[in-house]
Amino acid sequence: MKRVAVAGFSHETNTFAEGVTTFDDFVRGRGFPGLMFGGELVRTLRGKSMPTGAFLDAAEELGFELLPLLWTFPQPSGLIEQDACDRILQMLLERLEAVLPVDGVLLELHGAMVTEDLPDAEGHVLARIRELVGPEIPIVSTLDLHANISPLMVRESDALVGYDTYPHVDAYERGWDAARLLISAIEGETRPVSALAQVPMLIGPPRQCTLTSPMSDIMELAHEAEERPGILNVTVSGGFPFADIPNCGASVTVTADGDRGLATTTAQDIARAMWDRRDEFRLTLTPVEDAIEYALQTGDGPVILADGSDNPGGGAPCDGTVMLQALVEANVPGSTVAIIADPEAVAGAIEAGVGNEVTLTVGGKTDDRHGPPLTLTGYVRMIFDGRFANKGPMYTGVEANMGRTVVFVVGEVEIVLTEQRIQPYDCQALRCVGIEPRDRLLIGLKSAVHFRADYGPIARAIFEVDTPGVHNPDVTKLQFQRLRRPIWPLDEIDELP
Ligand SMILES: [Zn+2]
C-alpha cells in the first residue's frame, strides 16, 4: 500500500492589519478547529467539506495509507510572528521525518501566508518539505482561490490545485482532485509538470466572485482547458490583494502531463483572457445610506449590506462601526448587524443580564481605521455560548466558535456582539441566536463574498457598501511598498508584460 503523508498548514495573512499572528493563534484556531495531530486530525476532519476531509475519503476509496502529520488554520489576521511559523514547520518536518519513507505528500495550504521574514511562506514550506523527501517524491497541495502564487511554490511542488469557487464551496472536490493527481503520479501513470503565469492585476474580492461575470467566464475557460488532452489541472487564482508582498495578485497555474510547453502556453492564454477583460474587474461600492434607502423604498428583505472592508475572514478586526452607526441612526425596523467582535462589550452585556438595559461602548477598539467606538444604550435579549456548525454550502459541517455571544438591541437594530472575530458567512451564525435572516429587512454582514453561498438564495438585494478598512474591496485605497510594480489598477499598463 502506498504511503502518503498529509498535512494542513494554512493562514491568510493581511499585512495591513493591526497586530501579529502568534503561535497561540495557530493552536486555538477559532474559525476552524485549532492545531491538531495524527488521530485527532482524522477524527475532526472526517466528513467535513475541507480538502483534508477529501484526502481521508480518498485514502479509503483509492486504497492508500494516509499518514496524518498536523493541521492548523487560524482565523485570517496580521503578519505571522517568525517564531510561530518556524515552530509549526518544525513540528511538521519532524513528524514527516518520523514516517519516512513515503510515496507522496498531500498538503492543504492556503497560499497567502506571510511571516515577518518570509513574504512567500508557502514557497518556503514547500521547499523544506521537498528538501526532506527528495526530488522524486510527488508533492501536491490544494490552495485557496485567494492564493498569491509564486514561482517558488510552483517549482517546489508537482501540482497546485486551487479552489475554483468563491464563495469556496468546492474545497472537498479540489481535495479529491489533488489526491487523484498525486496517486496517478505515484503510480507512474502521469508525470505532472506545472507552469505559472502571473497576471499583473490586483482584483478586489467582490469582483473575484465566481457566481458572476467576468470571473465565472474565466473559470469556464479553465474548465474547458482541463478537458484538453495532456492537461491535468488548471488553477485560476484571484489573489489576496491585502498582502504587501512582491508576488501579490492574480495568476494562472497549469499542470500538464510531462509537457511543460503546453502548461506554459495554456497558462499564458488564460492569463491574457483575464488581462483583456480587466475593465470588467473594476469595482464600484455603494454608500451605506443608499443601500438603507433602497431597503426602505422596497420594504422587502432581506437586503444585505456587505461590509467587506471589515471582513474578519480577510484579517480585518470585525469591530468596525461605520456601517453600524449608519444603521443605528437610520433605526429601520428589522435591522440586524452581524457581527461586532468586542469582548469588553460582551462582558458588559453579560454583567447587565438578559432583559436588562445597559449602556455599552461598542466597537472601534482595534485601531482607528474602521470608525470610532460608539456609546449605545440598549437591552440584552440573549446570551449564548457562540458555538455552531455550518449548515450552508461552504465548509459544511465545520464547527465555529464565536465565543460568548450577546444579542444587544438598540432601538430597532439588533446587534450580534461576540468575543471572537468570525466571518458570519453561514446563516447559522444568526439562527443560533434566534435570528431568522429571511424575516429581516436589513442585514449588515462582516463578509465580502462568502455570505453569498448561504444568504444569496434568500437575499432580496445585495450591496457592497463603501466603508473604510484594511480589507477595503477598493484596492486603490491601500498603500503598497513591497508589491511588484507596475500592477493594474494602481499603475497604467499598456501591454501585458
Ligand atoms: Zn479564500
Side-chain angles (χ1 to χ4, degrees), residues 12 110 144-146 166 168 450:
E12 186 178 73
H110 182 288
D144 191 275
L145 180 129
H146 297 107
Y166 181 31
H168 306 329
H450 281 325

Side-chain angles (χ1 to χ4, degrees), residues 429-451:
L430 289 185
R431 289 184 178 136
C432 75
V433 287
I435 299 169
E436 174 47 55
R438 290 172 198 271
D439 300 339
R440 308 305 290 166
L441 176 61
L442 270 161
I443 305 176
L445 290 176
K446 301 286 184 173
S447 176
V449 170
H450 281 325
F451 71 89

Side-chain angles (χ1 to χ4, degrees), residues 10-215:
S10 302
H11 186 252
E12 186 178 73
T13 310
N14 185 323
T15 66
F16 298 96
E18 196 77 15
V20 290
T21 302
T22 64
F23 179 72
D24 193 47
D25 292 323
F26 281 93
V27 172
R28 281 185 299 177
R30 295 192 194 110
F32 293 119
L35 180 62
M36 300 180 288
F37 304 98
E40 190 194 357
L41 180 171
V42 173
R43 284 190 298 278
T44 308
L45 294 175
R46 189 179 293 286
K48 302 296 195 302
S49 296
M50 302 287 292
T52 301
F55 300 164
L56 294 165
D57 289 348
E60 275 185 13
E61 287 185 43
L62 303 179
F64 60 85
E65 186 186 358
L66 185 144
L67 308 157
L69 307 178
L70 64 79
W71 193 96
T72 176
F73 192 170
Q75 189 72 351
S77 46
L79 206 60
I80 301 169
E81 283 187 346
Q82 192 53 44
D83 172 66
C85 176
D86 292 346
R87 281 168 75 183
I88 290 162
L89 181 55
Q90 197 51 37
M91 289 180 199
L92 193 163
L93 295 172
E94 277 167 14
R95 282 167 170 77
L96 177 56
E97 199 166 14
V99 298
L100 291 179
V102 296
D103 298 294
V105 180
L106 204 42
L107 299 171
E108 178 181 342
L109 300 175
H110 182 288
M113 187 158 82
V114 184
T115 73
E116 287 167 333
D117 300 341
L118 300 168
D120 178 11
E122 278 93 351
H124 176 75
V125 167
L126 286 162
R128 294 294 305 276
I129 293 171
R130 171 63 73 205
E131 202 174 70
L132 197 57
V133 298
E136 303 304 325
I137 301 298
I139 300 172
V140 177
S141 181
T142 58
L143 294 176
D144 191 275
L145 180 129
H146 297 107
N148 289 319
I149 302 177
S150 70
L152 183 65
M153 287 166 67
V154 175
R155 198 161 67 234
E156 299 292 350
S157 61
D158 291 85
L160 299 170
V161 179
Y163 298 169
D164 293 342
T165 58
Y166 181 31
H168 306 329
V169 294
D170 66 334
Y172 181 82
E173 285 77 9
R174 298 294 77 77
W176 258 103
D177 286 354
R180 279 195 206 95
L181 240 160
L182 182 87
I183 294 302
S184 74
I186 291 174
E187 302 286 0
E189 295 159 8
T190 54
R191 195 167 65 82
V193 288
S194 300
L196 169 70
Q198 288 179 312
V199 196
M201 291 172 70
L202 284 189
I203 306 172
R207 283 282 79 79
Q208 295 186 23
C209 178
T210 55
L211 299 170
T212 49
S213 178
M215 200 59 173

Side-chain angles (χ1 to χ4, degrees), residues 245-326:
I245 53 165
N247 288 304
C248 181
S251 64
V252 183
T253 308
V254 174
T255 304
D257 188 4
D259 188 342
R260 199 173 300 275
L262 177 65
T264 304
T265 52
T266 307
Q268 285 170 346
D269 286 350
I270 299 170
R272 161 73 59 185
M274 281 180 96
W275 174 256
D276 286 345
R277 296 185 68 175
R278 60 195 175 283
D279 277 339
E280 294 170 64
F281 280 101
R282 278 186 207 278
L283 177 69
T284 342
L285 301 172
T286 306
V288 183
E289 290 71 19
D290 291 5
I292 295 172
E293 188 55 34
Y294 174 89
L296 278 170
Q297 294 295 326
T298 55
D300 196 8
V303 174
I304 310 273
L305 279 58
D307 190 1
S309 290
D310 191 27
N311 170 19
C318 198
D319 72 346
T321 57
V322 176
M323 176 182 70
L324 173 64
Q325 183 163 19

